[in-house]
Amino acid sequence: MHTLDPRELTGRDNYKLMSGSVVPRPIAFVTTLSHDGVINAAPFSFFNVVSSDPPILSISIARKDGVMKDTARNVLSRQELVVHICDESIVHDMNETAAMLEPHESELERTNLTTVPSTVVSVPAIQEALIRMECKLYQHIPISNDEEKPVSDLLLVRIVQYHFSEKVYDPATNYILMDQLKPISRLAGNDYAKLGERFTVVRPE
């Protein structure tokens, strides 16, 4: 067993160990709208469910040299975003939006994706995504390192509207059909994973 002290490691080394250990991770494919009306799209795998009542998601967005990324800045400005679940059909387009562009450039121009108006928020959504969740900012928690330098922005966002493709949602049971959704998860480096073999373990009473 190798025992490491994270305080003796660089931030990059901690990232490598965490992203390689906490796997697989769901991917939030997020659209936001800039102050000038530019649609920003970007994927984030430091993402998960926080609460169901109220319905809240968490997205952690790393800063670059202390500078807030477009997604975080846009969310703080407009208080709105759309979170899409990444599936096999859009993974390559999603990856294109990870490119570092200027704030006035839209990542969607690098893709074949199209947008559709949202129903509650002003931020457009990605039409091809099988699941999308319109959200509003619930809480912003800046994260600082030991030198008190801001290094990431933790966003807690409240879902205000769901949109499910008929392919992946069963209204009779209120279940999501995993075999139809075919979600993609993040591993480490450039690696991703599809939904693999599933098994059931019944919880003890």
Side-chain angles (χ1 to χ4, degrees), residues 126-179:
I126 295 170
Q127 186 171 6
E128 290 80 3
L130 299 175
I131 294 178
R132 60 182 188 267
M133 296 169 278
E134 300 180 28
C135 302
K136 293 190 177 183
L137 180 64
Y138 180 84
Q139 187 176 359
H140 168 232
I141 304 171
I143 307 295
S144 298
N145 61 16
D146 291 341
E147 287 73 44
E148 299 187 358
K149 173 185 175 182
V151 292
S152 62
D153 295 280
L154 175 60
L155 305 179
L156 301 182
V157 302
R158 179 168 182 161
I159 302 169
V160 295
Q161 192 82 79
Y162 295 107
H163 299 277
F164 300 110
S165 165
E166 292 84 356
K167 291 172 54 178
V168 303
Y169 177 67
D170 181 358
T173 61
N174 202 35
Y175 284 163
I176 305 300
L177 307 175
M178 288 295 118
D179 291 332

Side-chain angles (χ1 to χ4, degrees), residues 110-126:
R110 299 172 58 96
T111 75
N112 295 311
L113 300 172
T114 54
T115 60
V116 61
S118 294
T119 57
V120 176
V121 303
S122 62
V123 179
I126 295 170

